[in-house]
Amino acid sequence: MATVLRSTVTAKAASGSPGRRKGGSTGQLSPWRLAGFASLTVPIYAAQMPLAVHLPAIYSQHFGLSLAAIGAIFLAERLWGAAADPLIGALSDRTRSRFGRRRPWIVAGAIAFGLAAIALFFPVFGVTPVYLAVSLFIMYLGWSMIQIPYLAWSGEIFGEYHERTRIATFQAVAGASSLLLVLVLPTIIDQVDPQDGALKLGAMGAVVIVSLILSLNFALRAFPEKPAPLTQPARLPLREALRVVFADRLLLRVLASDLAVTTGQGIRSVLIVFFVTHYMGLPQWASGLFLLQFIFGIVAGPIWAQIGYRIGKHRAAVAGEVVQIAINLGLLLVTPGNLPLLLGLTVAQGFAQGSGNLMLRAIVADVADRHRLETGHDRAALFFSAFSLSMKGGMALAVGIALPLVGWLGFDPTAPANTPAALNGLLYVFAFGPAVAHLISAAFIHGFPLDEAEHSRIRRALDERDHALQPAE
């Protein structure tokens, strides 16, 4: 018992702001430090939406690349990521330096990410499939080098069940705010010249690059890194790293759920410009609806965090998926020019936005704790690399499936007018695709056994073991 009490006092002291909150948390991290740490989410999210939504449309409509070529490039990049992400996670877990395990990877990744962002958002050499492929591959490599160690670090800051939800909530709010910021500029440009794709790209790229420079300093200074474990993880070849990931059934359930939810969100994101412009006949609202969604998405994170405090992370994730199923099926009632109903569904989507992603990201750290207790190995970054892969895989599947599918159904974004059958095909993919994906996501995470009580037991056991391993003074 004395060991457990000592561990609890140590955790409170590390938090910097002891206290007690309804929901079971025994300490809270400083909100200002959390905001600084979460700021690194801004450039990551600010790039995500343009890459998934605006870049395919602009590169096809304004630079003449085919939808099939764009879809194939995005899909190929994810296959490359399938090999790179677990390797980055395993190497980050093994890294030992005076700067920490996570910081060196984040800095190196930021350099690659920033240079590739300049190439993608400010193309000066002419856009070809090869140019897009090389720039996209480098950018996503840098993205992985930032995101995987960063997510692992976020799970190591504080081990308490609900405080991890709070950390993820700060990151979700920062991400939604960045999406709002990156969408304001295209919305303004749409009111002036909706056909100027290069200007839209440049405006969004400026947000990505400037926010990367500013947030990198804030995030790296917000919290000290947790000391590396006394026992260094064994070297893991790629095949062995994948075996470790696929051997953990709880992690696989989280990954499958996140892959599905991200695919659903990606289908909606990649098709909304086409849907609003061609099906609804409202091109001036294409960026504005995204903007409206993310205005409400900023307050969605704290709302879903409160739900998670009360019913648990996995139940909150299921509830969020059910809400999104209803919203996407409601799109079937939308008719061309019926803006009020579409506005209402967009607002509802904003409130439901990110509910599943938020909870699932917080659950990964809990699963990593369970793995460390059972095996003695700290593989948080490896586990988050798999989670990063599921997120990026979902976005790639959305582009690789949705664009060729609507094209097969007859939709052509460059045609002066599409047939009613082609427009209906666009509507059905836009509505049913996300609804089915959210249903699959809810099914995978329903009844998840790692709840607050089980995680508390795991943390007590880890604290006792870590204390016993400390050298005697």
Side-chain angles (χ1 to χ4, degrees):
M1 179 62 73
T3 300
V4 177
L5 289 176
R6 276 194 298 270
S7 299
T8 304
V9 171
T10 301
K12 286 184 179 181
S15 73
S17 181
R20 188 168 184 85
R21 178 186 62 230
K22 183 178 180 181
S25 178
T26 57
Q28 285 191 327
L29 299 165
S30 162
W32 292 108
R33 287 182 177 273
L34 270 179
F37 184 77
S39 68
L40 191 56
T41 310
V42 173
I44 296 174
Y45 274 66
Q48 176 179 319
M49 191 58 64
L51 290 179
V53 180
H54 291 283
L55 189 140
I58 292 172
Y59 270 46
S60 65
Q61 293 176 339
H62 296 273
F63 296 112
L65 271 64
S66 71
L67 292 179
I70 295 172
I73 290 170
F74 271 82
L75 193 59
E77 190 285 325
R78 291 307 185 263
L79 295 176
W80 150 251
D85 284 8
L87 181 60
I88 291 171
L91 290 175
S92 177
D93 284 333
R94 288 187 52 82
T95 297
R96 299 292 188 274
S97 78
R98 64 189 184 94
F99 301 107
R101 289 192 293 171
R102 313 306 182 191
R103 284 188 177 92
W105 286 93
I106 292 173
V107 172
I111 295 172
F113 182 85
L115 292 176
I118 293 173
L120 280 172
F121 291 105
F122 301 95
V124 294
F125 301 110
V127 174
T128 65
V130 174
Y131 180 93
L132 173 60
V134 172
S135 302
L136 196 65
F137 275 47
I138 295 174
M139 186 168 187
Y140 274 124
L141 176 62
W143 186 338
S144 296
M145 292 171 67
I146 298 172
Q147 187 176 50
I148 293 167
Y150 174 66
L151 290 176
W153 189 3
S154 69
E156 295 162 351
I157 292 173
F158 204 88
E160 195 270 334
Y161 182 81
H162 287 302
E163 197 68 6
R164 282 177 170 169
T165 303
R166 185 165 171 258
I167 295 169
T169 300
F170 268 77
Q171 292 170 327
V173 171
S177 300
S178 73
L179 291 171
L180 173 62
L181 178 63
V182 82
L183 289 171
V184 165
L185 296 176
T187 301
I188 295 173
I189 294 170
D190 272 345
Q191 307 309 310
V192 179
D193 185 0
Q195 305 303 318
D196 196 338
L199 181 59
K200 289 180 186 177
L201 273 182
M204 292 182 288
V207 172
V208 172
I209 295 166
V210 172
S211 64
L212 176 66
I213 295 172
L214 295 176
S215 66
L216 192 64
N217 180 60
F218 294 142
L220 295 182
R221 293 175 178 270
F223 296 107
E225 280 197 51
K226 178 182 176 181
L230 297 176
T231 57
Q232 180 150 326
R235 292 184 180 275
L236 287 179
L238 177 59
R239 180 179 298 180
E240 181 62 19
L242 293 176
R243 189 199 66 78
V244 169
V245 169
F246 284 103
D248 195 300
R249 294 185 178 182
L250 292 189
L251 179 62
L252 286 182
R253 287 179 63 176
V254 176
L255 297 181
S257 181
D258 186 68
L259 178 67
V261 67
T262 308
T263 300
Q265 293 167 338
I267 292 173
R268 177 181 173 85
S269 297
V270 79
L271 293 181
I272 191 169
V273 171
F274 298 139
F275 178 78
V276 176
T277 300
H278 297 274
Y279 181 84
M280 296 296 297
L282 302 169
Q284 69 276 17
W285 279 93
S287 296
L289 286 172
F290 255 131
L291 181 63
L292 181 66
Q293 175 178 321
F294 289 107
I295 289 175
F296 288 94
I298 292 175
V299 299
I303 291 173
W304 286 102
Q306 290 296 324
I307 295 173
Y309 296 153
R310 285 160 174 75
I311 66 176
K313 299 172 190 175
H314 67 282
R315 294 186 184 91
V318 171
E321 297 311 288
V322 171
V323 170
Q324 296 202 61
I325 291 169
I327 292 169
N328 282 282
L329 292 179
L331 290 168
L332 296 172
L333 303 176
V334 175
T335 55
N338 186 0
L339 183 60
L341 178 56
L342 184 59
L343 285 174
L345 291 172
T346 301
V347 170
Q349 181 68 34
F351 279 118
Q353 177 177 293
S355 52
N357 306 100
L358 189 160
M359 298 301 162
L360 293 170
R361 183 166 62 244
I363 289 173
V364 173
D366 300 339
V367 175
D369 283 343
R370 176 178 175 271
H371 177 82
R372 183 159 71 93
L373 180 62
E374 292 181 348
T375 68
H377 295 294
D378 181 0
R379 294 191 172 114
L382 176 61
F383 277 29
F384 273 107
S385 73
F387 186 74
S388 174
L389 194 59
S390 72
M391 289 191 294
K392 294 194 295 185
M395 290 186 286
L397 282 175
V399 177
I401 293 174
L403 292 182
L405 182 57
V406 296
W408 179 74
L409 291 172
F411 175 71
D412 182 357
T414 63
N418 281 275
T419 66
L423 293 176
N424 284 333
L426 175 63
L427 168 65
Y428 295 146
V429 176
F430 186 63
F432 282 119
V436 172
H438 288 301
L439 177 62
I440 294 171
S441 176
F444 274 115
I445 207 64
H446 176 69
F448 197 74
L450 186 48
D451 57 10
E452 180 180 3
E454 175 62 12
H455 183 256
S456 296
R457 182 194 68 80
I458 291 171
R459 289 302 307 183
R460 286 194 299 271
L462 286 171
D463 288 342
E464 291 173 356
R465 188 173 69 187
D466 291 345
H467 181 80
L469 290 174
Q470 293 296 324
E473 296 182 0

